Amino acid sequence: MGNIDTNALFKIEYGLYVVTVKGEELDNGLILNAIMQVTAEPLKVAVTVNKQNYSHDLIKASGVMNVCCLNEKAPFSLFQNFGMKSGRDAYKFIGVNAARSNNGLLYLTEYSNAFVSLSVEQYIDLGSHGMFICAVTEAQILDNVPTMTYGYYYNNVKPKKQPAKKGYICKICGYVYEGEPLPDDFICPLCKHPASDFEKIE
Ligand code: FE
């Protein structure tokens, strides 16, 4: 094996998506980046979700979800709302402009340039994550604002100010772990990313 510079993996670009799911009683949703079309005929999309996310269990139980493709106008508050709290504790659609697709799930009608409705056909257990291989049941373009990539989010949306605290900061969501050292098996309580996505605050 050669050297592995994990920063090289950041060069693989992703979009950012709000995935909506059917909750036990209420609608739920979360932010994901690991989504891609994997085949064209038949049309299939793969969605990978951390098992610690409540939505992982909801997708597994219901077998359906909507992928809302965020556009470059999406504000940081939307990422805080959908990405940094759990649907176990909070209803995330207060003040969010949304409508229902044919599968009965919500999709965002603002800050999203398209939505794709998915029906799960296959589940692959990846240990920390589950991968859902899905058929497409509906898909609509909503506007022509460019898709929010992770790079655009990092450079233009995520606040740059670092807190004057000691510890480690999550490069994904900005959560600060105050302490030394950061445990190797630490998982960000907000975005569920591992210790390798934290950097020391100097
Ligand atoms: Fe985080």
Side-chain angles (χ1 to χ4, degrees), residues 119-199:
S119 168
V120 176
E121 295 193 328
Q122 216 180 318
Y123 177 78
I124 300 170
D125 191 326
L126 301 175
S128 60
H129 290 62
M131 178 185 259
F132 299 92
I133 309 291
C134 307
V136 175
T137 59
E138 187 179 3
Q140 305 277 347
I141 296 268
L142 301 173
D143 69 40
N144 288 311
V145 180
T147 296
M148 173 84 73
T149 61
Y150 185 77
Y152 187 92
Y153 169 77
Y154 193 85
N155 291 320
N156 300 286
V157 181
K158 193 174 111 126
K160 294 236 165 13
K161 231 182 4 181
Q162 295 220 339
K165 289 185 199 162
K166 281 198 152 175
Y168 293 81
I169 185 162
C170 174
K171 288 190 279 184
I172 308 299
C173 76
Y175 174 82
V176 173
Y177 175 86
E178 292 181 71
E180 181 72 49
L182 180 71
D184 286 343
D185 60 352
F186 190 74
I187 305 252
C188 178
L190 298 184
C191 72
K192 315 297 184 197
H193 277 246
S196 57
D197 282 326
F198 280 71
E199 63 189 9

